[in-house]
Amino acid sequence: AKPACESYAPYDLRNVGTLIRLGHKKLALEALHFFLADQRPAGWNQWAEIVWKDPRKPAFIGDMPHTWVGSGYIRSLRSLFAYEREADRALVLAAGLARSWVDTAPGVAVERLSTDYGSISYSARRDSAGRVRISIHGNLHEPPDLIEVVSPYDEPLAGVSIDGQDVEGFAPDRVKITSLPADVVFRY
């Protein structure tokens, strides 16, 4: 059977960030893995402008590395860790973290990630009791109106504490914090 499409342009890698912003983390991570597996030539860690299903096909591939594709990758990758939501001036953290990243020691660490509000740093890891601990600090020159921290797990949250104090009124998958530094603990 002939494949549905013989080639594609990996510009669509930018949709990984869009899917994160829309709350479709599973689809975003699946798309990211698809694109990462299709870097050509293998081992070069880049994308051509056109990727052919048959990597040996003698056909137009465009320039390599293709910087528009690369910039889409960087923006999408950044969205996994932090993004700005303009509608309510929110800084959203950890929306694209995979559970396996948090569960595998030492967890996830983000250092001085530049945002519209200044730099943000955080670490996320699962502790021995199965809770997720996220320690956040930053050098924000203009605080956002809202900071949301998203759970890396698909299960709904059973409890949340911030700086050792239990929180009421959190969403099933995220919590709002009002100041930094903050130590957030998610319970499932």
Side-chain angles (χ1 to χ4, degrees):
K2 189 174 181 179
C5 103
E6 293 184 46
S7 68
Y8 70 93
Y11 295 111
D12 288 335
L13 200 143
R14 64 185 172 233
N15 290 327
V16 170
T18 302
L19 288 166
I20 290 296
R21 286 172 168 77
L22 291 172
H24 299 293
K25 179 173 70 172
K26 182 178 181 211
L27 287 173
L29 292 174
E30 287 174 3
L32 180 62
H33 289 294
F34 168 82
F35 286 111
L36 288 171
D38 247 0
Q39 291 178 317
R40 304 279 170 80
W44 282 28
N45 298 321
Q46 69 174 359
W47 292 274
E49 187 174 2
I50 304 295
V51 174
W52 293 86
K53 290 295 177 190
D54 177 0
R56 298 183 54 80
K57 182 177 181 109
F60 175 78
I61 59 171
D63 55 331
M64 291 177 33
H66 197 68
T67 54
W68 284 2
V69 174
S71 68
Y73 169 68
I74 291 168
R75 288 182 49 82
S76 285
L77 192 65
R78 180 189 177 274
S79 296
L80 301 178
F81 302 101
Y83 69 87
E84 298 82 4
R85 190 173 57 220
E86 292 179 23
D88 57 356
R89 284 189 29 87
L91 179 60
V92 181
L93 304 178
L97 297 187
R99 179 181 185 141
S100 61
W101 302 347
V102 174
D103 286 353
T104 304
V108 174
V110 174
E111 293 292 331
R112 295 179 301 281
L113 181 65
S114 182
T115 75
D116 290 351
Y117 306 106
S119 65
I120 194 83
S121 298
Y122 67 86
S123 61
R125 64 177 176 78
R126 182 176 59 106
D127 68 15
S128 60
R131 300 171 295 206
V132 172
R133 296 181 170 275
I134 303 178
S135 297
I136 310 161
H137 62 280
N139 185 13
L140 303 180
H141 54 79
E142 177 188 347
D145 292 344
L146 169 67
I147 299 174
E148 283 186 347
V149 183
V150 181
S151 168
Y153 291 3
D154 293 333
E155 300 93 74
L157 294 168
V160 177
S161 65
I162 299 174
D163 297 329
Q165 301 294 316
D166 284 342
V167 174
E168 300 292 326
F170 52 87
D173 67 339
R174 66 190 65 214
V175 67
K176 298 174 184 177
I177 60 175
T178 57
S179 64
L180 296 178
D183 289 311
V184 177
V185 177
F186 288 140
R187 294 184 304 276
Y188 303 91

